[in-house]
Amino acid sequence: MTLNDLPLNTKGYIQNLNCNENIKRRLLDLGFVKGAPITPVLVSPSSDPRAFSIRGTLIAIRKEDANFINICFNS
Amino acid sequence: MGLTKSSTGSNLLANDLEFLKNDSDYVIALAGNPNVGKSTIFNNLTGMHQHTGNWPGKTVSNATGNCIYKNTNFLLVDIPGTYSILSNSEEEEIARDYICFGHPDCTIIVVDATCLERNLNLVFQTMDITNNIIVCVNLLDEAKKKKIHIDLKRLSDELGVPVVGTTARKKKTLNSLMDTVQKVCTHDIQPAPKKVIYNKYIEDGLSKIEKVLNAEFELSSDLCRWIALKLIDDEETIINSIEKNLSMSLSNNKNIQNITNEVHNDLEKNNIIKKHLKDFIVSDIMHKCETICGKVCIFEDENYSRRDRKIDKILTSKKFGIPIMLLFLAVIFWLTIVGSNYPSQALFSLFGWIQEKLLHLANFLHSPEWLSSMLISGVYQTLTWIIAVMLPPMAIFFPLFTILEDLGYLPRIAFNMDGFFKKCCCTR
Ligand SMILES: Nc1nc2c(ncn2[C@@H]2O[C@H](COP(=O)(O)OP(=O)(O)OP(=O)(O)O)[C@@H](O)[C@H]2O)c(=O)[nH]1
Ligand SMILES: [Mg+2]
């Protein structure tokens, strides 16, 4: 399942990043590494970018990018 | 982005710096993640006015300025903020090239006390390049507000480099930073970074390549390790800039090519394919950041972030998000328009009064009619009219906007509006 399928306020763990090299690097820099816990905490009014709590910070990601991030429930 | 390398000053390297260095004793680089207060520190130390702003990516090129502390002249270099120096975006290239090849006497890495974990990533990446690092934990006031306590002494022990806590907006707190900078420059303090130990197979590969590098070139041991890492990682752009700036040839060197290939094969045997190498490197660094943060950060009030989150939830909710935003903007415009009426009127009457006096003066001096009417009713009147109309709204609007910015509301607006912007873009 991808990050988009993760319901609000549920914790998931990053399994892998399934995207092109550039986006992948950016995400890695921000701490999206395998096994990192991540929780969606905010939705914008138009429901597109959602904000995620990861490593103690809040990061907003668009649906199209969140689609590349695979999630599982146990680390 | 339209920023060419020459316009952003990425070639402000060795040659140019030699020139600037002439009249300063030491060169200090200011690096760090975006929006952590590097430019604020730079401005307060140099008395210059680099643009600062509460959003990432405000500074896009290296800026330099002088700072005199205890009779020593330091040349400070404000580097664009980056989350990482492993990748290849324009800013990262500028930052990396400067730290690697600009040979600063010491590099201050500014980190955000409210999200230390993410910020430490860059600290460890920089440790792979240079030893002379000072970590400056900034935004301590914000951390205090959020009830986050950071054990600076412990952090310094864990990292092996000096750590200074600051609140960049208060100049006084920067003294201890400069004190440490001076001590590092004069070698009174010698930072001994505790570098990340990567996964066993990668480390084995590193030492193999390092051995060959050492035999082929004369290099310091830090640089050796870093170049070895880049060779394993097979980063073409970085290798190119190493070759250019250190004038050495890596890709044409048979011995180095052979050992690199050998190491790649070894790694592959152990299931580390080249394509996933970066994931291993990054997750080793992240893991270290996580452990250290667990040791040095004390969250005194778990509820704080929850309260913060609640406000965010309202500000970005479906029902209230957009209305609240419009309300905010409406209030600002209302205050600007209504509030500026009074000062505008006052200015009008003041300028009118001066104009009368000027006419008297012109009469008194017997200046010709055409001249005084052109200067006074023409030039003077238009000019003062523009000032009276424009100045008060600006004097009200900008401070108000600054307050919104400081509250951090602008990123929330961006978050609310992102959907609309994207829709706009798609219809093009
Ligand atoms: N409360 C508080 N705010 C600070 C402090 N230091 C900086 N700021 C604010 O943080 C914001 C960002 O500061 P900058 O100096 O522009 O950050 P920067 O690191 O240069 O950012 P980039 O150029 O984008 O990399 C500004 O609004 C500053 O006023 C601090 O110690 N406390
Ligand atoms: Mg800046």
Side-chain angles (χ1 to χ4, degrees):
Chain A
M1 99 186 193
T2 73
L3 197 50
N4 281 326
D5 309 321
L6 194 63
L8 213 58
N9 295 319
T10 9
K11 193 189 224 172
Y13 296 88
I14 293 173
Q15 205 168 25
N16 59 9
L17 305 175
N18 186 14
C19 46
N20 77 35
E21 208 51 22
N22 274 338
I23 299 175
K24 184 168 174 176
R25 277 193 186 144
R26 180 84 330 153
L27 289 172
L28 283 178
D29 293 344
L30 293 171
F32 288 74
V33 295
K34 196 177 159 171
I38 184 166
T39 320
V41 287
L42 287 175
V43 201
S44 92
S46 55
S47 88
D48 189 351
R50 288 206 296 172
F52 301 88
S53 158
I54 182 168
R55 299 187 178 278
T57 47
L58 215 57
I59 293 171
I61 301 176
R62 291 181 183 163
K63 269 197 178 139
E64 58 195 58
D65 298 323
N67 231 345
F68 297 124
I69 302 171
N70 288 322
I71 295 290
C72 58
F73 279 120
N74 37 10
S75 54
Chain B
M1 275 217 306
L3 292 172
T4 62
K5 258 192 228 157
S6 55
S7 76
T8 54
S10 73
N11 30 19
L12 184 69
L13 283 177
N15 290 339
D16 314 72
L17 267 177
E18 276 315 309
F19 168 73
L20 284 167
K21 206 175 166 173
N22 273 339
D23 46 29
S24 48
D25 304 314
Y26 298 109
V27 180
I28 315 296
L30 266 172
N33 281 15
N35 207 26
V36 291
K38 294 176 299 298
S39 298
T40 313
I41 293 179
F42 177 84
N43 288 346
N44 275 336
L45 288 174
T46 60
M48 287 172 61
H49 297 283
Q50 270 289 302
H51 284 289
T52 62
N54 194 359
W55 63 82
K58 192 79 227 276
T59 310
V60 289
S61 64
N62 294 339
T64 57
N66 283 90
C67 160
I68 293 174
Y69 181 81
K70 290 198 179 150
N71 295 326
T72 315
N73 192 351
F74 295 93
L75 180 72
L76 265 66
V77 186
D78 185 18
I79 297 178
T82 58
Y83 290 110
S84 154
I85 40 175
L86 296 176
S87 336
N88 285 316
S89 77
E90 189 91 49
E91 295 96 68
E92 287 177 27
E93 221 171 292
I94 298 174
R96 185 193 59 228
D97 282 359
Y98 186 74
I99 298 172
C100 304
F101 312 119
H103 297 296
D105 291 282
C106 112
T107 303
I108 302 175
I109 303 181
V110 186
V111 299
D112 179 347
T114 62
C115 53
L116 195 60
E117 191 176 329
R118 187 174 79 193
N119 281 246
L120 283 183
N121 181 19
L122 185 71
V123 175
F124 282 113
Q125 288 183 16
T126 318
M127 277 182 188
D128 274 335
I129 306 176
T130 168
N131 272 344
N132 288 331
I133 291 177
I134 296 174
V135 171
C136 166
V137 180
N138 191 33
L139 295 146
L140 279 183
D141 55 335
E142 288 290 320
K144 203 171 170 191
K145 254 193 242 161
K146 296 192 176 175
K147 305 266 190 247
I148 301 170
H149 178 80
I150 293 172
D151 186 344
L152 297 175
K153 171 82 185 45
R154 181 102 196 248
L155 182 59
S156 168
D157 290 343
E158 293 286 337
L159 296 174
V161 302
V163 172
V164 188
T166 59
T167 302
R169 284 186 181 170
K170 299 195 189 109
K171 260 189 192 172
K172 261 190 297 181
T173 64
L174 297 176
N175 280 340
S176 60
L177 176 65
M178 285 315 290
D179 220 54
T180 315
V181 167
Q182 191 177 35
K183 282 185 184 142
V184 169
C185 287
T186 56
H187 302 290
D188 284 346
I189 300 178
Q190 280 178 339
K194 295 185 178 152
K195 303 187 180 192
V196 178
I197 310 290
Y198 296 107
N199 138 344
K200 178 174 167 296
Y201 305 111
I202 296 180
E203 285 292 334
D204 286 349
L206 280 179
S207 47
K208 271 189 199 163
I209 298 184
E210 272 176 69
K211 224 177 252 157
V212 178
L213 275 172
N214 253 328
E216 297 279 322
F217 306 98
E218 261 177 48
L219 288 168
S220 71
S221 63
D222 319 311
L223 217 50
C224 224
R225 183 181 159 89
W226 183 66
I227 296 174
L229 195 61
K230 293 300 127 183
L231 283 169
I232 291 190
D233 205 8
D234 203 16
E235 281 277 5
E236 218 175 292
T237 43
I238 303 187
I239 306 255
N240 283 341
S241 77
I242 291 174
E243 289 184 322
K244 199 178 91 207
N245 287 294
L246 300 178
S247 40
M248 55 203 282
S249 128
L250 295 168
S251 38
N252 294 329
N253 188 313
K254 276 258 163 55
N255 292 339
I256 291 178
Q257 283 310 304
N258 289 341
I259 189 74
T260 313
N261 287 337
E262 188 190 319
V263 168
H264 276 149
N265 287 336
D266 285 352
L267 285 173
E268 223 154 291
K269 264 180 229 147
N270 291 303
N271 278 330
I272 304 180
I273 349 171
K274 212 155 99 185
K275 207 175 125 215
H276 293 157
L277 205 100
K278 192 161 255 123
D279 302 46
F280 283 97
I281 292 176
V282 175
S283 61
D284 283 339
I285 297 180
M286 291 287 173
H287 192 72
K288 180 131 190 199
C289 298
E290 210 175 311
T291 337
I292 290 186
C293 258
K295 289 182 193 164
V296 303
C297 293
I298 303 159
F299 295 88
E300 281 156 359
D301 183 2
E302 290 290 339
N303 287 330
Y304 184 88
S305 65
R306 230 174 287 157
R307 220 173 311 145
D308 220 22
R309 199 62 51 69
K310 248 185 210 139
I311 299 174
D312 274 353
K313 203 165 257 168
I314 299 170
L315 287 182
T316 59
S317 70
K318 243 199 177 76
K319 257 199 215 127
F320 302 118
I322 305 262
I324 287 181
M325 184 183 78
L326 293 177
L327 192 75
F328 258 116
L329 292 181
V331 168
I332 286 187
F333 281 121
W334 183 79
L335 279 177
T336 309
I337 291 165
V338 175
S340 57
N341 261 343
Y342 302 98
S344 264
Q345 244 137 38
L347 280 177
F348 264 124
S349 42
L350 174 72
F351 287 136
W353 181 79
I354 295 176
Q355 185 170 3
E356 234 167 70
K357 298 288 168 216
L358 281 178
L359 281 173
H360 281 307
L361 183 72
N363 273 341
F364 178 74
L365 292 176
H366 301 295
S367 72
E369 173 77 26
W370 61 269
L371 182 68
S372 60
S373 77
M374 187 184 82
L375 282 181
I376 297 173
S377 329
V379 177
Y380 175 83
Q381 206 169 359
T382 344
L383 219 65
T384 54
W385 193 79
I386 292 175
I387 292 176
V389 170
M390 302 286 281
L391 191 68
M394 289 218 261
I396 294 178
F397 182 74
F398 284 107
L400 280 179
F401 215 74
T402 315
I403 293 174
L404 264 201
E405 192 194 317
D406 277 350
L407 288 176
Y409 188 52
L410 295 188
R412 270 88 198 171
I413 294 188
F415 183 66
N416 281 341
M417 298 300 289
D418 188 76
F420 293 102
F421 285 144
K422 217 169 50 180
K423 273 171 210 148
C424 298
C425 295
C426 290
T427 53
R428 267 199 303 173

